[in-house]
């Protein structure tokens, strides 16, 4: 049954900030406010005192912003745990969240609100460095990752980058089987879901944020919808830089690549560094007898992700500090290359409107 017309002002989107990211990502909020009528809940996931004070002050000065400080006790929570906490603290008809490294270039909700009336979950915003193939599951990959938005047969799986859930559907599903937004293993799956997962070739070792919940919705007969946004841009790699910075600093190939003038050569060398780093983890990621083409694609994906993350961190830092802008990295895929140039041009527009307070953050 289709819901009555949903107004943008009825929706509140949760944005979760990891430590040391507010300085770079807070200005994106202005674009979301400008191109929607919704409210935004800015969430500190173990951010510094300076960051929390800054976010809190900004929220006090804008009636459409709200601040939430997660009780993390010195350790950042996993994404799924954050979402579980925020879901329990909210009571609106729709539970919505959006990654903090997403910005708007135009009104974005009219594309999705009609879909929310007929689907339990509506999602969007694959990372700009991702290909369509990145979003499809593979029988040779033993993890259902955040990027996976559909099966090869076309079954929608949704993502946790930009998502809007109908609370009534979530509550009905949670009543039937014990599921939530956590990242889980196969052993965490409710027994009642095993047969359906096997039948749909979705038995994996690991399931990323919200994947178990989304599968439960599907198996209970609810429909999900995923479509890339026309007016949202997801950098999708800032947190990856934080997690992988040790590889970048310690790999001699990465160090050498940093001094090479050719971005194409940098791409190749960094890809090789990731290949060596990933080899020890291959058994956990790939099924037996995995084709070399699948391994190659995974290495290309990781390289695109890491290079893009490095670039945007450098770009955002340069914009905040009024420094020369870095060169756009080389990508083999022309569509991704075009997205990088588009995102760069859009981010440059923020330069003159960057908040002075954000510049003062560490």
């Amino acid at each position: 049954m289709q819901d009555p017309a949903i107004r943008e002002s009825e929706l509140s989107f949760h944005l979760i900030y990891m430590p040391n990211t507010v300085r770079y990502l807070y200005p994106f909020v202005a674009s979301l406010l400008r191109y929607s009528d919704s409210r935004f809940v800015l969430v500190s996931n173990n951010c510094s005192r300076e960051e929390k004070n800054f976010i809190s002050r900004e929220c006090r000065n804008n009636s459409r912003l709200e601040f939430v400080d997660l009780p993390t006790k010195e350790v950042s929570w996993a994404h799924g745990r954050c979402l579980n906490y925020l879901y329990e603290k909210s009571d609106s008809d729709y539970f919505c969240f959006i990654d903090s490294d997403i910005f708007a270039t135009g009104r974005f909700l009219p594309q999705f609100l009609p879909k929310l009336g007929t689907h339990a979950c509506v999602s969007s915003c694959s990372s700009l460095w991702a290909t369509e193939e990145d979003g499809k599951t593979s029988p040779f990959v033993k993890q259902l990752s955040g990027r996976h938005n559909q099966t090869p047969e076309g079954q929608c799986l949704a993502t946790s980058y930009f998502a809007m859930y109908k609370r009534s559907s979530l509550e009905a599903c949670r009543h039937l089987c014990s599921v939530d937004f956590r990242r889980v293993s196969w052993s965490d799956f409710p027994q009642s879901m095993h047969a359906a997962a096997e039948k749909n070739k979705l038995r994996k070792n690991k399931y990323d944020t919200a994947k178990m919940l989304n599968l439960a919705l599907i198996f209970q007969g609810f429909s999900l919808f995923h479509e890339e946004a026309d007016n949202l841009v997801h950098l999708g790699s800032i947190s990856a830089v934080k997690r992988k910075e040790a590889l970048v600093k310690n790999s001699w190939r990465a160090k050498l690549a940093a001094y090479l003038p050719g971005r194409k050569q940098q791409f190749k060398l960094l890809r090789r560094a990731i290949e060596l780093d990933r080899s020890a983890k291959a058994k956990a990621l790939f099924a037996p007898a995995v084709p070399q083409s699948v391994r190659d694609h995974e290495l290309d994906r990781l390289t695109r992700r890491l290079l893009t993350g490095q670039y945007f961190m450098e770009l955002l830092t340069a914009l905040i500090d009024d420094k020369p802008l870095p060169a756009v990295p080389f990508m083999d895929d022309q569509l991704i290359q075009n997205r990088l140039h588009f995102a760069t041009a859009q981010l440059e527009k923020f330069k003159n409107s960057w908040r002075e307070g954000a510049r003062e953050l560490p």
Side-chain angles (χ1 to χ4, degrees):
M1 180 177 179
Q2 184 165 340
D3 290 354
I6 304 165
R7 296 190 298 271
E8 292 185 20
S9 58
E10 297 176 31
L11 304 179
S12 292
F13 286 86
H14 297 80
L15 287 82
I16 302 171
Y17 290 101
M18 295 292 289
N20 305 314
T21 62
V22 175
R23 181 176 195 259
Y24 307 100
L25 302 180
Y26 175 76
F28 294 7
V29 174
S31 69
L32 301 175
L33 290 167
R34 177 182 180 184
Y35 291 116
S36 77
D37 300 322
S38 298
R39 294 173 54 83
F40 296 89
V41 182
L42 310 186
V43 182
S44 165
N45 185 10
N46 198 44
C47 290
S48 68
R49 181 177 61 183
E50 292 80 7
E51 288 177 308
K52 288 189 284 189
N53 288 342
F54 173 78
I55 299 173
S56 178
R57 183 176 72 245
E58 293 296 312
C59 290
R60 289 196 300 271
N61 293 332
N62 192 312
S63 60
R64 289 169 57 198
L65 296 179
E66 178 184 347
F67 174 59
V68 171
D69 185 12
L70 297 178
T72 52
K73 297 182 179 178
E74 300 183 1
V75 179
S76 297
W77 287 357
H79 191 201
R81 184 180 179 183
C82 295
L83 295 176
N84 284 340
Y85 179 91
L86 296 169
Y87 178 77
E88 295 299 334
K89 290 292 183 181
S90 67
D91 59 1
S92 58
D93 292 338
Y94 303 94
F95 180 62
C96 310
F97 48 91
I98 180 171
D99 277 8
S100 56
D101 60 345
I102 293 175
F103 64 88
T105 59
R107 296 199 71 86
F108 53 93
L109 285 173
Q111 179 181 350
F112 300 107
L113 291 188
K115 306 298 183 183
L116 188 57
T118 54
H119 299 279
C121 171
V122 173
S123 75
S124 186
C125 291
S126 297
S127 304
L128 64 77
W129 48 261
T131 65
E132 184 176 348
E133 192 66 23
D134 290 340
K136 295 180 181 178
T137 61
S138 167
F140 297 105
V141 178
K142 297 190 290 185
Q143 297 179 11
L144 194 60
S145 299
R147 70 183 185 277
H148 290 134
N149 58 63
Q150 65 173 311
T151 66
E153 295 75 29
Q155 170 64 60
C156 179
L157 302 174
T159 67
S160 58
Y161 308 132
F162 168 95
M164 300 182 285
Y165 284 87
K166 194 180 299 183
R167 182 175 290 270
S168 59
S169 300
L170 284 181
E171 289 301 309
C173 181
R174 282 155 58 96
H175 178 72
L176 292 170
C177 51
S178 179
V179 292
D180 55 30
F181 290 98
R182 288 174 303 142
R183 183 178 185 177
V184 298
S185 302
W186 174 253
S187 59
D188 299 308
F189 256 57
Q191 189 67 35
S192 60
M193 292 174 57
H194 284 195
E198 296 273 14
K199 179 181 178 181
N200 290 276
K201 302 177 183 178
L202 289 169
R203 175 171 178 169
K204 303 289 183 179
N205 289 356
K206 300 287 184 181
Y207 298 81
D208 214 337
T209 303
K211 292 305 185 186
M212 177 175 66
L213 176 60
N214 292 349
L215 291 180
L217 286 168
I218 294 170
F219 298 158
Q220 294 297 331
F222 295 100
S223 63
L224 313 182
F225 179 82
H226 180 90
E227 182 175 83
E228 299 308 333
D230 296 331
N231 293 318
L232 290 172
V233 177
H234 183 197
L235 303 186
S237 47
I238 299 301
S239 60
V241 170
K242 298 294 184 182
R243 289 194 297 269
K244 297 293 184 180
E245 61 185 5
L247 169 65
V248 176
K249 291 179 180 178
N250 297 329
S251 167
W252 67 265
R253 290 175 176 81
K255 289 180 179 179
L256 175 60
Y259 291 96
L260 291 174
R263 289 281 177 163
K264 185 171 183 178
Q265 188 67 8
Q266 178 179 348
F267 182 94
K268 291 180 178 178
L269 286 175
L270 188 54
R271 182 184 185 281
R272 179 56 180 162
I274 296 172
E275 182 178 12
L276 294 175
D277 176 73
R278 199 71 173 179
S279 61
K281 306 172 186 176
K283 289 184 179 180
L285 178 66
F286 297 123
V290 58
Q292 186 60 43
S293 60
V294 175
R295 293 178 180 270
D296 289 343
H297 180 83
E298 175 68 4
L299 291 170
D300 283 335
R301 183 189 69 80
L302 290 168
T303 307
R304 283 184 266 117
R305 183 188 190 199
L306 187 53
L307 272 181
T308 302
Q310 287 179 258
Y311 168 68
F312 280 118
M313 284 298 295
E314 292 173 8
L315 176 65
L316 293 171
T317 301
L319 288 170
I320 293 172
D321 298 335
D322 287 326
K323 302 294 184 181
L325 303 186
V328 177
F330 169 82
M331 295 288 162
D332 285 319
D333 188 299
Q334 188 59 50
L335 179 59
I336 297 176
Q337 192 76 55
N338 293 342
R339 291 175 190 161
L340 282 170
H341 283 287
F342 175 78
T344 298
Q346 294 298 314
L347 289 173
E348 286 188 63
K349 293 180 181 179
F350 290 161
K351 183 174 182 178
N352 294 329
S353 60
W354 221 278
R355 298 273 184 154
E356 290 299 325
R359 292 187 181 189
E360 298 170 4
L361 288 170

